[in-house]
Amino acid sequence: MPRPVILTVDDDPGVSRAVARDLRREYGEHHRIVRADSGEAALEALRDLALRGEQVAVMLADQRMPRMTGVEFLEQAMDIFPRARRVLLTAYADTEAAITAINVVDLDHYLLKPWDPPEEKLYPVVDALLEAWLRAPDRPTTDTRIVGHRWSARSYELRDLLARNQVPFRFHLADDPEGARLLAAAGLGSDRLPVVVTGEGRTLVEPADAEVAEVVGLSTHATADLYDLAVVGGGPGGLGAAVYGGSEGLRTVLVESVATGGQAGTSSRIENYLGFPDGVSGSQLTDRARRQAVKFGVEVLTTRTVTGLTVRGGVRVLTFDDGSEIAAHAVVLALGVSYRTLDDVPGLTEFAGEGVFYGAATTEAPSCSDEVVYVVGGANSAGQAAMNFSRYARRVVMLVRGESLTASMSHYLIEQIAAVETIEVRTRTEVVGADGEGHLQKLTLRDRSSGAEEVVDAQWLFVFIGAQPRTDWLAGIVARDDRGFVLTGPDLPAGSNPDREPLHLETSLPGVFAVGDVRGGSVKRVASAVGEGAMAVSLVHRWLENR
């Protein structure tokens, strides 16, 4: 079983490190210490823990934090972990407020700062709270369990699939007591992993994604043969098209190969999206959009990969990788992009999912507690990941090939990174080698200015080095540029449609539109992708009326 969590929240980096250090020294053997620098970040961490089926025993929050006070945080945190014990950190002048808060959030205790020496003022309080929590711990939040090896690419893929689809689960190591018990109960050994055990006791051995999706209640098969609109890809652009299509009365189906949200869904915090001045996590934003689409009658299919697109009579036909088909009068391609890989780095490819991850891999962040994390890349996605991992890791090292972050990262994010003492930015640095037994253990780094190389211990590497479109299956079907991005509207070669001028987001195949990152010349921002998705629906209406 995962160690129960003790969560600390304080916007003062010095205080945050001090309380985490004191707690780790006394309770680190049997508890995991997680610290956050704001109430918003702490709530996001709690949601991640709940989704993973972990337990939170004690929460310590500073009262005087900007945007969200400690009492306001604890009030919201009670909804996520109602049985976790609650402590407010206060200055001497705040004692009256702390006493009043006892009635507001059922406060268990308040601590005056400073709490030195902790042996007298901190540990006795936490000891008592942990004893009280043990008498009535949080109940497990899920019945779905995965048994696998810690450094297993397939185990990671299943965890990522469930987490990104907002399906609560527990992950057990095969050699832990609970993991061994589940395997023994199923009559299995550790030679065929991962194993998924459902709440009904059904056991899936080395299951495919679609098999897991089906047993946890995700829709994987279309309920109709013909739709007004089919949206391929569930990122911000696809979700925008689905919401507007459904809200305007089009019978709409959205097809996604992994989970709605795309790359944006894995972002720890999006702070420049209109209407969210305090930022919003990618998972929260895309989960709301998905629920909004479903509310308007959109059918959402997951773990379905489209491999073909043809015209048959008056409809466009999508072919799935299992040979099945659906048809629609119009299609919106919102395929997004995938992160480029470091295939040219010796030894790195074999550790994919075993210490090397492309993208944010949000399910792995809590496992990086007290360790050193390396992040490759200098754009916003890398910066957001570094900020997220800094809440868990002892140190985060950003490896940037360029001279600085200013060329590719938003100013607000550069300032945030500079304010976090545990994030180190190493410019003019690249990864040139990797080594390990069974998982990543060492990296070779090269200084691009001097050529000097350095070998460092490393178990965690997250790569954000640009993206490429996933459009090989569209070769010969729609026009693409030399990098594989789909051409639309005025960017199409002359004569693509001899009968009329193509609509703005229309591809070379009439009735098929492209939006978001997959479209050539698009602005790579969440807001612009959503806007294009909405615009595509108005163009779909025009196409349907005039064809």
Side-chain angles (χ1 to χ4, degrees):
M1 295 288 289
R3 291 175 294 168
V5 168
I6 300 176
L7 174 74
T8 74
V9 193
D10 200 304
D11 65 310
D12 185 320
V15 175
S16 179
R17 286 194 302 272
V19 68
R21 178 197 62 223
D22 289 343
L23 291 171
R24 192 173 294 117
R25 184 173 60 197
E26 182 69 10
Y27 306 103
E29 183 177 355
H30 301 293
H31 298 79
R32 191 154 63 83
I33 312 302
V34 175
R35 63 187 179 98
D37 58 6
S38 70
E40 297 89 344
L43 289 172
E44 185 178 335
L46 290 177
R47 294 186 188 100
D48 289 342
L49 292 167
L51 186 63
R52 291 162 56 90
E54 297 194 40
Q55 296 182 321
V56 175
V58 177
M59 300 180 290
L60 301 93
D62 181 55
Q63 169 62 6
R64 291 182 178 268
M65 294 187 292
R67 297 198 301 269
M68 182 181 293
T69 67
V71 171
E72 291 170 340
F73 158 72
L74 291 172
E75 188 173 12
Q76 294 188 47
M78 289 172 65
D79 295 333
I80 306 172
F81 287 96
R83 292 179 179 80
R85 303 298 161 170
R86 295 172 288 277
V87 179
L88 196 67
L89 300 178
T90 69
Y92 290 112
D94 291 326
T95 53
E96 184 175 347
I99 294 171
T100 303
I102 293 175
N103 298 319
V104 176
V105 295
D106 193 22
L107 197 69
D108 292 290
H109 201 90
Y110 68 90
L111 284 172
L112 299 179
K113 297 189 295 184
W115 57 85
D116 191 60
E119 291 79 4
E120 295 179 13
K121 299 182 178 180
L122 177 64
Y123 298 155
V125 171
V126 176
D127 286 343
L129 296 178
L130 288 174
E131 289 175 7
W133 178 81
L134 283 172
R135 290 193 292 268
D138 288 293
R139 297 188 183 94
T141 58
T142 177
D143 288 325
T144 302
R145 289 153 292 178
I146 302 173
V147 182
H149 295 303
R150 177 67 194 90
W151 300 108
S152 161
R154 185 57 185 149
S155 293
Y156 157 68
E157 290 169 356
L158 288 180
R159 295 198 304 272
D160 189 58
L161 171 69
L162 295 181
R164 290 179 61 188
N165 280 288
Q166 306 293 317
V167 178
F169 69 95
R170 285 184 182 275
F171 176 65
H172 303 285
L173 296 176
D175 52 3
D176 279 354
E178 182 62 14
R181 185 191 69 80
L182 289 171
L183 292 177
L188 300 170
S190 59
D191 55 329
R192 296 184 62 197
L193 296 175
V195 168
V196 175
V197 182
T198 70
E200 295 75 28
R202 182 178 175 184
T203 301
L204 309 178
V205 182
E206 298 177 311
D209 286 358
E211 189 179 4
V212 174
E214 190 169 352
V215 300
V216 299
L218 299 175
S219 297
T220 59
H221 297 284
T223 60
D225 296 324
L226 178 63
Y227 296 86
D228 295 320
L229 173 64
V231 180
V232 185
L239 286 167
V243 167
Y244 281 91
S247 67
E248 295 180 14
L250 297 177
R251 184 167 189 180
T252 303
V253 61
L254 184 150
V255 182
E256 170 56 49
S257 59
V258 181
T260 51
Q263 287 189 8
T266 67
S267 176
S268 60
R269 183 151 293 272
I270 301 170
E271 298 204 49
N272 57 357
Y273 190 74
L274 183 67
F276 291 88
D278 296 325
V280 61
S281 74
S283 63
Q284 289 174 306
L285 184 64
T286 55
D287 179 56
R288 292 176 183 179
R290 184 184 187 279
R291 288 188 283 113
Q292 192 173 17
V294 171
K295 184 187 80 169
F296 288 125
V298 175
E299 194 172 324
V300 179
L301 307 182
T302 56
T303 66
R304 299 309 305 270
T305 300
V306 178
T307 58
L309 170 61
T310 57
V311 177
R312 191 178 300 164
V315 298
R316 280 80 190 123
V317 178
L318 297 173
T319 304
F320 296 118
D321 54 356
D322 64 356
S324 61
E325 297 177 341
I326 60 172
H329 295 298
V331 172
V332 171
L333 300 174
L335 302 167
V337 291
S338 58
Y339 286 109
R340 292 195 178 97
T341 57
L342 289 172
D343 294 335
D344 57 339
V345 176
L348 204 62
T349 303
E350 63 185 276
F351 299 125
E354 300 173 356
V356 177
F357 304 92
Y358 293 93
T362 53
T363 58
E364 302 304 290
S367 300
C368 301
S369 179
D370 298 330
E371 299 192 28
V372 179
V373 170
Y374 288 84
V375 175
V376 177
N380 279 8
S381 55
Q384 290 163 350
M387 291 295 296
N388 182 41
F389 290 126
S390 70
R391 292 165 33 205
Y392 303 92
R394 173 165 49 89
R395 185 164 61 99
V396 177
V397 182
M398 295 189 67
L399 306 175
V400 183
R401 287 172 55 90
E403 298 289 325
S404 70
L405 296 174
T406 56
S408 54
M409 188 177 292
S410 296
H411 179 68
Y412 80 88
L413 197 49
I414 295 175
E415 290 188 326
Q416 289 182 0
I417 290 171
V420 180
E421 295 182 3
T422 55
I423 298 180
E424 173 188 353
V425 180
R426 296 181 60 168
T427 57
R428 300 182 295 276
T429 304
E430 59 186 350
V431 178
V432 295
D435 194 16
E437 294 184 8
H439 63 93
L440 179 68
Q441 292 176 310
K442 293 184 180 298
L443 288 174
T444 302
L445 310 180
R446 176 188 293 159
D447 187 307
R448 302 186 73 223
S449 298
S450 66
E453 294 188 355
E454 173 190 5
V455 177
V456 297
D457 292 331
Q459 289 188 314
W460 304 96
L461 178 70
F462 298 86
V463 182
F464 306 81
I465 55 170
Q468 56 192 8
R470 299 173 289 183
T471 60
D472 290 346
W473 64 279
L474 287 170
I477 301 174
V478 299
R480 303 179 299 158
D481 65 17
D482 55 1
R483 294 182 296 165
F485 290 93
V486 177
L487 298 175
T488 61
D491 295 328
L492 285 169
S496 294
N497 187 340
D499 299 326
R500 61 173 174 83
E501 287 295 318
L503 299 173
H504 181 63
L505 298 176
E506 193 173 20
T507 70
S508 58
L509 184 60
V512 176
F513 303 81
V515 302
D517 290 358
V518 76
R519 189 178 68 83
S522 66
V523 178
K524 305 301 187 283
R525 289 290 186 269
V526 174
S528 61
V530 173
E532 287 187 4
M535 184 192 302
V537 173
S538 68
L539 298 176
V540 165
H541 280 296
R542 191 184 306 178
W543 150 255
L544 293 174
E545 292 168 358
N546 299 321
R547 61 178 177 149

